[in-house]
Amino acid sequence: LRTLTIIKNALEIIEKRTGKKIDITKIPEDDPKAFELFCKAETVGVFQFEGGAMQQFLKELKPQNLEDICFLAAAYRPGPMKYIPDYILCKHGKKDPEYLIPELEPILNKTFGFPIYQEQLLKICMDLAGFTLADGDVIRNALKKKQLDILKAKEPDFKKNFLEKFPQYSEEVAAKLWKQLEPFSDYGFNKAHSASYAVVAYWCAYLKAHFPLEFITALIHSDLDSLDRVGIDIEDAKRLGFKVLPPDVNFSFIDFVPENSDSIRFGLGAIKNVGVKACENIVSERETNGKFSNLSNFLERVSEEVLNKRALESLIKSGAMDSFGERNAMLLAIPQITSEIQKKRKAFETKQTGLFGNEAEISQTTLPKCEPATDKEKMHWEKELLGIFLTTHPLSKFGWVRLFPEYNKTTQTASLNAGRKIKLFCTISSVKITYTKSKNEKMAILLLEDEYGKCDAVLFPQSYLKNYMLLIESVPLIITGRLNVRDEKRSVVIDTIEHGNILNKPQKVIINIVGESNLDKLKELSSVLSENGETEVVVKYGIKNNIKEISKKTDLSVASNVEILSKWIK
């Protein structure tokens, strides 16, 4: 339902912005851009296809039709998941499908010989063992619920019926055929269900591929109840090249909305502590009587009944009123401005002023001089009230770290193998101190975050004793450890933590473009190289047997330069 709401909202935004009224049920089923999105695994917000491991399977499978999407939606479950790698090999002609007997081919050919769907199990029972549909469903249900007594009773009939229908086969083949039904005890997916999932996922992919701004805006709106989720959506919006503009009482609405052709404006409704009524009052007043000119004007026009002190402070701290002045100064000015407004209203009520029914607007109170809010304070406020670092990030000054290939992204932990060594440049989002059950020793459960996403981590007692001094939220850290997978939950078991300040910006970067012939990629690279800059870039080029080098310069303080160079780091 959440996804259908996202689609509905996206369609409404598209119609409002472009005038195009799209019937999502009538879009082409073979749209190249939609399948390109699946192949690249750019599936944040795409129903059922967001997880890191799923995205890795998408890149390997390179789905070309709805049947491929349907398969993954069903197979990415406990049990049939083990068939995915071989399915991918068969799909790309690197392995031939295998069938126990030729009669299985018509039933299993869509999944290259692997039993995935409940309908396939029913067809095996009906077409090969002569069962009725109802009897086949009894076996399906018994497998699902692991009702061994029912299975034991049905097995002899299955084998007997099969051998009577196909006398050319041995009892050993009959036993192997029965054995092929066992995986359904782990998880058998109904194909009609899976096909529905595939279609809804395809609708999302189509909208994201053709109308990314409108789709991402609708996605963020749907996730307002989960600030962590909003953060993921916003990072994806930035990856797609859209700016996410901070909240602003003179431009924001309750929900996130597209602004211009390349931006999404943060919604007032996503600011913690403000409340829907206050947001509605702000937007309604602005649309009726125009933009707010200053802090005094805002406080005079917005009802105190819906905008309490906590809500007002949250608006200021979140940056939604930055056009009126410095945040700390506004926080200090609130009592004086509020007092002036109350005096004025009281005078009006006693008819000492405003005798002709029009109140004169109070002049803007001069904001007091004070120490401005630091970047650290702003980051803390934004993280607390918006759920993300919006205008700045603890790691933003270290963007060049992505040029060091030894560092992993937090998002990679979703697809790497268990036991893999992990090295992260990240911050700690949350710390939970707990104790072991056996010896009651102190340990910590962490949530790590970088500019790409988040991942779970754990500090066991020994490592905790060595590293607890650096368990500080929102500080750049270098964390090493190993990937642990338990009950399909992934976390980094931490060995060491170091402060990120020990890293220095590289003085030289070596990139390899040997054999590259894509002119667009080469032009993009050339755009960030010059004769000036603080960092040397050594470019290896040419062909395999004739490699040459050229030295250029670049400025690694420019985020786009780092982004482009990082594509060439091996």
Side-chain angles (χ1 to χ4, degrees):
L1 288 176
R2 168 187 172 271
T3 303
L4 293 175
T5 302
I6 292 168
I7 292 170
K8 168 181 167 290
N9 290 341
L11 294 174
E12 288 176 354
I13 296 170
I14 291 166
E15 185 176 4
K16 186 175 181 180
R17 283 176 51 79
T18 69
K20 294 180 181 178
K21 190 173 180 66
I22 298 170
D23 184 343
I24 199 66
T25 65
K26 294 180 180 178
I27 61 174
E29 294 181 359
D30 57 353
D31 181 72
K33 290 184 72 174
F35 281 106
E36 182 183 2
L37 184 142
F38 278 117
C39 292
K40 291 181 177 178
E42 295 176 351
T43 49
V44 171
V46 175
F47 182 60
Q48 293 285 309
F49 287 86
E50 291 192 272
M54 171 64 92
Q55 289 173 322
Q56 186 60 38
F57 283 138
L58 282 171
K59 289 177 182 177
E60 294 171 5
L61 176 61
K62 299 190 184 305
Q64 300 299 314
N65 50 52
L66 282 173
E67 189 73 49
D68 288 338
I69 302 300
C70 184
F71 166 81
L72 269 185
Y76 192 69
R77 315 282 164 178
M81 191 181 292
K82 63 177 177 277
Y83 297 135
I84 295 177
D86 285 329
Y87 178 97
I88 291 171
L89 291 175
C90 291
K91 171 75 179 177
H92 296 307
K94 296 179 180 179
K95 181 178 180 180
D96 293 328
E98 296 178 4
Y99 303 98
L100 178 65
I101 55 175
E103 288 80 5
L104 275 174
E105 196 270 342
I107 300 172
L108 301 179
N109 61 359
K110 291 287 188 181
T111 53
F112 296 110
F114 303 110
I116 301 296
Y117 304 118
Q118 293 176 3
E119 287 86 345
Q120 292 174 319
L121 181 148
L122 296 175
K123 287 288 283 181
I124 291 171
C125 291
M126 293 165 63
D127 295 359
L128 303 188
F131 283 172
T132 64
L133 180 60
D135 282 338
D137 200 49
V138 169
I139 293 176
R140 178 201 63 78
N141 195 51
L143 282 165
K144 177 183 175 183
K145 296 182 178 179
K146 294 181 171 57
Q147 294 172 327
L148 300 181
D149 55 335
I150 295 176
L151 293 173
K152 192 173 182 180
K154 289 290 183 183
E155 183 177 358
D157 290 339
F158 179 93
K159 294 176 180 177
K160 175 175 170 292
N161 292 352
F162 169 73
L163 292 173
E164 287 178 356
K165 193 169 184 178
F166 301 97
Q168 68 270 35
Y169 294 119
S170 65
E171 289 188 8
E172 183 183 1
V173 172
K176 287 181 178 179
L177 185 62
W178 175 260
K179 195 83 172 172
Q180 280 210 335
L181 304 184
E182 286 186 359
F184 287 94
S185 63
D186 292 322
Y187 205 102
F189 213 84
N190 179 287
K191 188 173 184 181
H193 194 167
S194 180
S196 299
Y197 275 14
V199 169
V200 173
Y202 178 76
W203 288 348
C204 290
Y206 179 90
L207 290 174
K208 187 173 183 181
H210 290 273
F211 304 95
L213 180 60
E214 291 83 356
F215 180 80
I216 291 288
T217 302
L219 181 65
I220 294 172
H221 169 64
S222 74
D223 289 332
L224 286 183
D225 291 337
S226 172
L227 292 179
D228 284 346
R229 183 67 234 192
V230 168
I232 294 171
D233 299 339
I234 288 177
E235 284 305 316
D236 195 48
K238 291 178 180 178
R239 183 190 61 78
L240 291 169
F242 299 123
K243 291 178 285 188
V244 180
L245 304 175
D248 190 311
V249 292
N250 273 330
F251 294 99
S252 294
F253 292 85
I254 299 173
D255 306 325
F256 285 71
V257 295
E259 190 168 301
N260 303 319
S261 61
D262 63 348
S263 305
I264 301 171
R265 177 66 70 175
F266 211 95
L268 296 176
I271 304 173
K272 193 175 179 182
N273 304 328
V274 177
V276 174
K277 285 188 176 180
C279 296
E280 290 174 341
N281 193 288
I282 293 168
V283 174
S284 175
E285 171 60 28
R286 185 184 75 215
E287 292 188 328
T288 303
N289 298 308
K291 293 180 180 178
F292 305 102
S293 56
N294 52 54
L295 180 59
S296 300
N297 177 255
F298 177 85
L299 292 176
E300 191 173 18
R301 290 166 55 186
V302 177
S303 171
E304 291 181 55
E305 294 177 3
V306 295
L307 189 71
N308 57 33
K309 182 182 177 185
R310 189 184 187 200
L312 176 59
E313 288 179 348
S314 295
L315 284 171
I316 292 172
K317 289 179 176 181
S318 69
M321 304 175 81
D322 278 359
S323 59
F324 300 155
E326 199 280 320
R327 296 184 197 182
N328 270 346
M330 285 190 284
L331 291 170
L332 289 174
I334 291 173
Q336 182 184 349
I337 296 174
T338 304
S339 176
E340 286 185 19
I341 292 172
Q342 289 172 346
K343 286 179 184 177
K344 179 191 168 187
R345 286 176 179 164
K346 187 175 181 181
F348 179 75
E349 289 167 3
T350 57
K351 301 188 184 301
Q352 291 176 357
T353 62
L355 293 173
F356 300 101
N358 291 315
E359 294 184 76
E361 182 181 315
I362 67 170
S363 61
Q364 163 69 24
T365 301
T366 303
L367 297 179
K369 292 182 180 180
C370 63
E371 285 291 324
T374 63
D375 284 345
K376 186 175 180 180
E377 286 176 312
K378 289 179 181 179
M379 283 192 290
H380 173 75
W381 290 337
E382 288 178 6
K383 185 68 174 176
E384 177 189 2
L385 299 170
L386 305 180
I388 59 169
F389 300 110
L390 188 60
T391 58
T392 186
H393 192 284
L395 305 181
S396 59
K397 294 178 181 178
F398 297 86
W400 39 264
V401 169
R402 72 181 70 180
L403 299 178
F404 297 154
E406 66 267 28
Y407 285 91
N408 302 104
K409 299 176 183 178
T410 54
T411 49
Q412 290 178 299
T413 59
S415 55
L416 295 174
N417 294 328
R420 169 75 179 264
K421 286 185 178 181
I422 298 289
K423 189 174 186 179
L424 301 168
F425 188 76
C426 61
T427 65
I428 296 174
S429 284
S430 66
V431 180
K432 180 183 177 183
I433 304 299
T434 185
Y435 295 85
T436 60
K437 292 180 180 178
S438 56
K439 298 183 180 179
N440 200 38
E441 294 176 306
K442 193 177 283 190
M443 58 178 288
I445 298 171
L446 313 176
L447 182 63
L448 307 180
E449 176 180 354
D450 60 16
E451 293 175 287
Y452 307 97
K454 299 180 180 181
C455 68
D456 294 319
V458 61
L459 265 175
F460 287 120
Q462 263 191 315
S463 295
Y464 177 85
L465 288 174
K466 296 176 183 176
N467 299 294
Y468 73 92
M469 293 293 287
L470 280 172
L471 296 184
I472 309 166
E473 295 183 18
S474 303
V475 168
L477 298 171
I478 302 166
I479 290 179
T480 64
R482 291 185 179 273
L483 183 63
N484 181 55
V485 182
R486 184 176 181 182
D487 298 330
E488 297 188 19
K489 292 183 178 180
R490 293 168 169 263
S491 60
V492 177
V493 177
I494 296 174
D495 294 325
T496 65
I497 302 178
E498 296 178 278
H499 202 291
N501 287 338
I502 67 170
L503 286 180
N504 294 312
K505 189 183 296 185
Q507 298 302 304
K508 179 191 285 189
V509 176
I510 301 174
I511 61 174
N512 188 334
I513 63 170
V514 173
E516 181 59 59
S517 59
N518 187 308
L519 287 178
D520 290 335
K521 289 183 178 180
L522 293 173
K523 284 179 181 178
E524 181 187 56
L525 174 62
S526 178
S527 70
V528 305
L529 302 177
S530 67
E531 303 302 321
N532 301 309
E534 57 183 11
T535 302
E536 180 185 4
V537 180
V538 176
V539 183
K540 293 186 177 183
Y541 68 100
I543 56 177
K544 192 173 182 180
N545 296 323
N546 186 21
I547 299 174
K548 301 177 181 179
E549 288 186 2
I550 188 172
S551 181
K552 291 287 184 177
K553 299 277 189 178
T554 196
D555 183 358
L556 295 184
S557 64
V558 179
S560 59
N561 290 358
V562 175
E563 179 66 31
I564 292 169
L565 288 173
S566 67
K567 297 175 183 179
W568 299 95
I569 300 296
K570 305 296 184 182

